[in-house]
Amino acid sequence: MSRNITFSMIKPCAISRNFTGDIIQSILDDGFKIIAMKMVWLSPEQAGEFYEIHKERPFYEDLVKFMSSAPIIAAILEKENAVEDFRILIGNTDPAKAASGTIRALFGTDIQQNAIHGSDSDENASREANFFFSSLEIYH
């Protein structure tokens, strides 16, 4: 996968608060094309594997518990400079520090329950997309 994709995951807190439609509309309004999407309920093992990069961090266990507490919506998004543009759209990890109008400022409540995940690099976008989707599930 190339530089024109990123991976996104709408977190359980945003789904339970019925923000899914608003978040997806924000993504589309910003010019992203959704090329794969599905709702999944991660097991603690799957969430742990996905967030393995953070395994040594103090927040890892709480993150795994939170991300396996209810369904998430995984998506692959396409746009030129997708990773960088999506990071701007979603805002700072801490919603209190996120720019006004960003997804996290609008729908997040704290650092963990910040509504949405977005890849932080092209390499991670590819790894994260491949974690959730097979090539048969991606529209090109």
Side-chain angles (χ1 to χ4, degrees):
M1 294 189 192
S2 61
R3 287 181 24 93
N4 65 341
I5 66 110
T6 193
F7 175 78
S8 172
M9 185 166 39
I10 300 175
K11 295 183 177 183
C13 55
I15 293 172
S16 68
R17 294 174 65 208
N18 295 317
F19 293 143
T20 304
D22 293 328
I23 291 171
I24 292 170
Q25 192 61 57
S26 294
I27 292 167
L28 295 172
D29 288 348
D30 204 57
F32 287 90
K33 178 181 175 184
I34 299 170
I35 61 171
M37 179 180 279
K38 63 178 151 185
M39 181 178 269
V40 226
W41 194 325
L42 296 171
S43 69
E45 295 76 22
Q46 290 166 323
E49 184 181 345
F50 182 80
Y51 284 107
E52 188 172 21
I53 192 169
H54 298 302
K55 194 167 190 160
E56 301 306 317
R57 297 257 178 93
F59 59 81
Y60 174 77
E61 294 296 328
D62 286 340
L63 178 62
V64 168
K65 184 176 179 180
F66 168 61
M67 293 303 292
S68 60
S69 67
I72 58 93
I73 295 176
I76 302 174
L77 310 174
E78 184 177 58
K79 181 182 179 184
E80 194 66 35
N81 297 314
V83 171
E84 183 179 328
D85 284 2
F86 195 64
R87 299 295 292 179
I88 293 167
L89 176 65
I90 65 177
N92 190 291
T93 304
D94 182 350
K97 297 177 183 175
S100 178
T102 61
I103 290 173
R104 288 176 171 159
L106 292 169
F107 306 111
T109 57
D110 59 47
I111 290 175
Q112 184 178 71
Q113 296 192 30
N114 60 12
I116 196 162
H117 165 87
S119 300
D120 62 2
S121 67
D122 291 332
E123 177 183 272
N124 281 337
S126 181
R127 181 187 68 78
E128 293 169 349
N130 289 329
F131 182 89
F132 280 94
F133 297 96
S134 75
S135 61
L136 294 174
E137 297 174 297
I138 302 170
Y139 171 76
H140 291 284

